[in-house]
Amino acid sequence: MIYMILIIIPFLSWGQTLHLLEKKLEGIKTLKVSFIQKVSYSWYPKPDVSKGFFYAQRGGKFRIEYEQPERMTIVSDGNDILVYYPKEKSAIMDRVENNRSAVVEALFLLSKPLSDVFDQVGEIKKEANTTLVLKPKIRDDNFYRIYVELDDELNIRSVKVEDKDGTTTTVEFLSINKNFSPSEDLFRIKLPTGVKVNRL
């Protein structure tokens, strides 16, 4: 009997941490994050590093402003997605329905409960931080395994994603602003005149 208890307790702990994080995310309506993104490839020793800001509003609206190494804006009003390259004065536009990802919607867009999308397969504790090891319930070649690092108040500090080929993308959250009041234009799709738009 004691062996059965020892086996069950870790799984109860895992489920509790995921449940508490899920409940915390339910209280967030809007989110602003300053981030550093690192993409590491199995075939190349140096990661690609970029910096910027991420905004999200419950319901699927979001905006990503990359500032380094070059400027790029990705914005969605919940129906369309626009990728804008200021330097080239060009943009790509597509429908949200053609680009849906349950993983992204659950982790970044506040649109899906974590437990609906992921199975927790591990939990790593290091000092005051806890890292949840998650696996998507539905097979997705872009998201093989996800590591969500939390501080002692269950704030997300970083998200690391592994794909099936060994490429990892790590997004480190430098600062987080929750439930701010967005401007009317933040999630609006509009471009300066003279920008060439490729509609997919």
Side-chain angles (χ1 to χ4, degrees):
M1 186 64 162
I2 189 68
Y3 297 109
M4 183 63 71
I5 292 172
L6 290 174
I7 291 170
I8 291 173
I9 284 175
F11 287 96
L12 292 176
S13 175
W14 290 356
Q16 183 182 24
T17 306
L18 186 62
H19 175 71
L20 291 173
L21 174 60
E22 194 170 69
K23 294 299 287 184
K24 183 160 188 169
L25 293 178
E26 286 176 3
I28 301 176
K29 305 303 179 188
T30 58
L31 186 67
K32 176 184 177 181
V33 177
S34 170
F35 70 87
I36 294 177
Q37 176 181 297
K38 297 178 182 179
V39 182
S40 300
Y41 307 96
S42 58
W43 45 268
Y44 191 70
K46 189 175 180 180
D48 290 336
V49 180
S50 52
K51 299 179 180 180
F53 294 89
F54 171 77
Y55 307 81
Q57 179 173 292
R58 190 171 293 278
K61 295 181 180 180
F62 69 90
R63 182 184 188 93
I64 307 171
E65 297 176 352
Y66 285 100
E67 296 190 335
Q68 296 177 19
E70 63 180 74
R71 299 181 69 85
M72 179 177 68
T73 300
I74 305 171
V75 61
S76 173
D77 60 5
N79 297 309
D80 295 305
I81 297 176
L82 179 78
V83 182
Y84 171 46
Y85 305 93
K87 188 176 180 180
E88 290 82 9
K89 293 186 177 180
S90 66
I92 300 171
M93 185 178 290
D94 199 4
R95 298 288 294 173
V96 167
E97 61 196 37
N98 298 330
N99 298 273
R100 289 200 176 277
S101 164
V103 170
V104 172
E105 290 175 357
L107 280 176
F108 297 104
L109 302 186
L110 313 171
S111 300
K112 287 184 179 292
L114 295 175
S115 58
D116 286 359
V117 179
F118 301 106
D119 286 320
Q120 185 171 348
V121 297
E123 185 169 314
I124 304 165
K125 290 190 177 292
K126 186 176 181 181
E127 298 176 351
N129 289 3
T130 300
T131 299
L132 302 180
V133 186
L134 308 176
K135 196 159 189 175
K137 291 183 177 181
I138 299 175
R139 181 179 174 136
D140 188 326
D141 290 342
N142 295 312
F143 304 100
Y144 174 70
R145 187 166 287 139
I146 295 95
Y147 300 83
V148 182
E149 183 184 8
L150 310 170
D151 64 18
D152 55 356
E153 295 181 352
L154 295 181
N155 295 307
I156 298 177
R157 306 314 310 168
S158 69
V159 176
K160 183 171 80 170
V161 176
E162 293 180 353
D163 71 14
K164 68 170 187 175
D165 296 323
T167 299
T168 64
T169 301
T170 302
V171 181
E172 181 183 350
F173 292 17
L174 302 180
S175 65
I176 303 172
N177 183 6
K178 304 169 189 172
N179 295 325
F180 72 99
S181 297
S183 67
E184 291 184 3
D185 290 336
L186 187 61
F187 304 111
R188 185 176 294 171
I189 292 179
K190 63 177 186 178
L191 290 167
T193 56
V195 174
K196 182 180 179 181
V197 180
N198 180 18
R199 297 181 182 271
L200 302 180

